[in-house]
Amino acid sequence: MVLKTKTYFPKTDKDIKWYVVDAEGQVLGRLASGIAHVLRGKNDPRFTPHADLGFRVAVVNAEKVHVTGNKREQKTYFRHSGYPGGDKYRTFNEQMELKPEAIIMDAVKGMLPKNSLGRQLMKGLKVYTGPSHPHQAQEPEVLTF
């Protein structure tokens, strides 16, 4: 006799739960993996690999994130204009001066699935420089890694 186990599917009407993370003094990779873990919903017993469970994360103090080793001078960020020969590179230090939010966004994006689910989960990540964020009305829970 073969027992069949039913696959669990979460309810389609998801309740949105917000978290706020302070990036001050955090190591970039460890911070990004923790954020990706929460966005994916792996911290919840209802985790389903193919679904967005409604977790959102706001990151504050993005300009105060740390990296280890020589990454400040050696790590590069790539972008392309769309024209032939239009590739541009920035070091970590240059990117930190111009767009510190993009550093955390890029690190978290690399740790999410590379498909439509990953793109949908990235919409739930909001990164801000400075200690304030506009999500007080959602009553975010403070998250520490």
Side-chain angles (χ1 to χ4, degrees):
M1 180 174 161
V2 177
L3 296 175
K4 292 187 178 181
T5 306
K6 296 221 177 215
T7 302
Y8 172 75
F9 288 96
K11 302 287 183 197
T12 56
D13 56 335
K14 55 187 173 215
D15 51 339
I16 305 298
K17 178 146 180 63
W18 278 84
Y19 294 98
V20 65
V21 177
D22 189 1
E24 184 174 1
Q26 299 280 334
V27 178
L28 177 62
R30 293 168 192 233
L31 175 69
S33 66
I35 293 169
H37 190 82
V38 171
L39 283 174
R40 191 82 201 274
K42 288 188 171 187
N43 59 332
D44 192 70
R46 302 175 297 140
F47 171 68
T48 308
H50 63 274
D52 176 12
L53 297 179
F55 294 105
R56 306 292 182 254
V57 177
V59 181
V60 295
N61 291 322
E63 73 282 0
K64 296 179 182 175
V65 73
H66 291 292
V67 289
T68 58
N70 296 327
K71 293 187 193 84
R72 287 201 169 271
E73 295 82 26
Q74 294 177 353
K75 183 171 177 58
T76 59
Y77 291 90
F78 171 81
R79 60 195 174 93
H80 196 277
S81 67
Y83 290 98
D87 48 347
K88 310 281 186 198
Y89 296 92
R90 287 185 187 154
T91 64
F92 181 88
N93 281 334
E94 293 168 344
Q95 187 77 339
M96 186 64 89
E97 290 172 12
L98 296 171
K99 281 183 90 172
E101 306 92 6
I103 291 174
I104 295 176
M105 297 283 280
D106 191 50
V108 173
K109 183 179 180 181
M111 296 182 183
L112 290 175
K114 278 63 171 179
N115 54 25
S116 59
L117 176 63
R119 290 187 294 274
Q120 182 179 352
L121 293 174
M122 276 302 291
K123 292 178 184 175
L125 175 64
K126 308 295 181 190
V127 184
Y128 303 100
T129 56
S132 62
H133 61 87
H135 302 288
Q136 294 299 335
Q138 284 80 22
E139 300 173 358
E141 183 179 319
V142 175
L143 194 61
T144 56
F145 299 115

